[in-house]
Amino acid sequence: MTIITPSSQDDPAMSDAPPSFRTLTEQAAYAAILADLAGRDRGDEAVMIFREPTDPDAAVTADAMTRAGSVSDDQYARLLAAADRLYAPPPVTRAVAFDAFGTLVHIGRKRHPFERLIRQARDRAEALPSPMVQPIGLADYAAALGLRHPDAELAMLNEELTTIALYPDTLDALRQVREQGVRIAAASNLALPYAAPLKALLGDLVDIWHFSFDAGAIKPDRTFYAGLTAHLGCEAGELLMVGATWRDDIVGAVEAGSRARWVDREGRASHARRFIAARGLGDAYPDRLSAGQITELELVRSGINANLEHIHAQQWALEAARLRQILADASEPEKATVKQALDNHYNTRDQPETSRAGLMRNATATISARKHA
């Protein structure tokens, strides 16, 4: 059951309407968590980030909080860390990794031939490595399971492979990323036979192919992501993962230290997930939000970033005026100290403004006060 308020789909991020929930229990947990966060140190910031988690780590954390119905100390620390990231310049993206099936391509007729073999010899399959973590074909896997030649399953596999097709927005999205000079990876959990059709469809638009059968690890395992960033030659924080599976592509990437965008083609995202969801690949990169997803805090941050030099000049002038007034009112013994402070302040006039923390904290307090008024 999904509970959706009448206005929550119109402008979910910019309104005070509560998000959609899957159950009444989840809705009650959300309210209880808001009350818990409000009573803690830096409560206003925690509440704002929980309500509007556009940071992927915050979205994953908020989603987990709501499902658990409680706030652990680790989750609270992660929520505050996400709040602190609002004060910093936007992260650099040096590589974008796309999940394959369900994100870049889809299978027209799913027949699940490997699963069919596993059902026929489940005990033996449990004793062997999964075909998802070893480069093995269908016939060889059947032989390893002690089964006869898999004629029927091979026909099913061929039917799947011949119906693999691109989503309409795939090629344009990859070209847009390529035009930004950003490296592209296809990073997917799949068995060996599915790799060749994928490479044929995507051609030279992909720089790195990172598949579970080669990596020996399956998303969301951190080993998978460690191998991915190593192949791409980037740090975990410089990678943006784009995928359609919440646990594998979003939680997995965030737990490995990367950023993520969730592809929600059917628009079914609820609660925290909607803040980092993209209806199509064109909205997933550059790492930006659609107009309907931009929160008040995001608008404030973009305004601060765009006008940082002007804000710095204003603040510098106000501080200079304050010091000059103190100097005018100071006694003779105090004048030398105040004069030195004023001289020190003048030396900062041409220094670029880099700190956004104070500005963002003030904005957070103002927004929170208005929401609770």
Side-chain angles (χ1 to χ4, degrees), residues 206-263:
V206 173
D207 299 302
I208 296 294
W209 305 94
H210 189 69
F211 301 136
S212 61
F213 70 81
D214 273 334
I218 298 175
K219 290 181 292 183
D221 194 311
R222 290 194 183 190
T223 303
F224 181 96
Y225 284 99
L228 175 59
T229 51
H231 284 159
L232 286 165
C234 69
E235 298 296 326
E238 297 172 330
L239 171 67
L240 172 67
M241 180 72 206
V242 178
T245 304
W246 181 261
R247 178 173 175 270
D248 292 348
D249 301 319
I250 310 306
V251 178
V254 166
E255 294 292 347
S258 298
R259 288 168 293 116
R261 291 299 302 279
W262 189 38
V263 178

Side-chain angles (χ1 to χ4, degrees), residues 33 36-37 40 50 61 64-66 68-80:
I33 289 168
D36 184 334
L37 296 177
R40 298 186 181 220
F50 178 75
T61 304
M65 283 180 179
T66 305
S70 61
V71 183
S72 70
D73 290 341
D74 175 67
Q75 288 172 328
Y76 188 67
R78 289 176 63 171
L79 210 60
L80 293 185

Side-chain angles (χ1 to χ4, degrees), residues 2-58:
T2 300
I3 304 164
I4 302 176
T5 59
S7 59
S8 64
Q9 290 180 315
D10 298 333
D11 194 358
M14 294 301 294
S15 73
D16 287 332
S20 58
F21 300 97
R22 296 171 182 82
T23 65
L24 285 169
T25 300
E26 193 174 81
Q27 186 171 359
Y30 180 86
I33 289 168
L34 280 177
D36 184 334
L37 296 177
R40 298 186 181 220
D41 181 47
R42 293 178 63 184
D44 285 348
E45 289 174 278
V47 167
M48 287 297 300
I49 297 301
F50 178 75
R51 285 171 56 103
E52 302 177 345
T54 55
D55 180 286
D57 189 23

Side-chain angles (χ1 to χ4, degrees), residues 6 21 108 121 127 148-150 181 190 200-201 247 249 266 277 284 292 299 306-307 312 321 325 342:
F21 300 97
R148 59 177 175 75
H149 190 71
L190 51 80
L201 286 170
R247 178 173 175 270
D249 301 319
E266 297 182 356
L299 287 173
N307 298 283
H312 171 67
Q325 185 61 52
L342 184 59

